[in-house]
Each structure stands twice: as C-alpha cells, then as structure tokens.
Amino acid sequence: MRIEYDRDACQGHNRCYLLAPEVFDVDDEGYAVLRITGEIPSELEEKAKLAVDNCPEYAITVVQ
Ligand code: SF4
C-alpha cells in the first residue's frame, strides 16, 4: 500500500499528522508532507488509512 498526496488540494488542517505522525509531517507553511513515499509498512497501514479517511479535502489517497 502506498499513499498519494495532492499538494494543490491540501489545506493544511494537519489532521493527517495528528492521526499518523509516522506517515505525515508538516512543512514550514503548515501543509502536509509525506514521510514515507514508498510502501507503507504493514504496521502503519491502519493509521495511514485513518488519516486518508479523515482528510477533509480528499488530498491523500490510498494506492494499492
Ligand atoms: S488532513 Fe488533508 S488537507 Fe489536512 S493537512 Fe493532511 S493532507 Fe492536507
């Protein structure tokens, strides 16, 4: 499983970072940054999916 991130859609709520700080970081402007651009480790998949489900802008998506 991988995560795709759309920087243009991101509004910087940082819900993703709060829900899955192992997967997401925040840049200097408050927008999300992917900490893991490749395969998400299996132990972090549930957290990553939770963040995807809670992004109000649909800026992050799961790619199988
Ligand atoms: S939750 Fe979505 S909109 Fe908010 S910072 Fe994360 S990716 Fe961006």
Side-chain angles (χ1 to χ4, degrees):
M1 179 188 125
R2 292 168 182 258
I3 298 288
E4 267 187 6
Y5 167 61
D6 181 353
R7 172 67 170 76
D8 291 334
C10 178
Q11 295 295 315
H13 308 278
N14 297 323
R15 287 192 196 177
C16 53
Y17 171 70
L18 293 173
L19 291 168
E22 300 91 342
V23 182
F24 301 95
D25 203 351
V26 182
D27 71 11
D28 291 341
E29 297 177 2
Y31 293 95
V33 178
L34 286 181
R35 294 172 66 98
I36 303 172
T37 54
E39 194 72 19
I40 304 292
S42 56
E43 67 270 22
L44 294 176
E45 283 189 1
E46 285 307 312
K47 274 187 152 184
K49 286 178 186 172
L50 189 66
V52 167
D53 289 344
N54 282 277
C55 174
E57 308 298 335
Y58 305 104
I60 43 179
T61 48
V62 169
V63 181
Q64 297 293 345

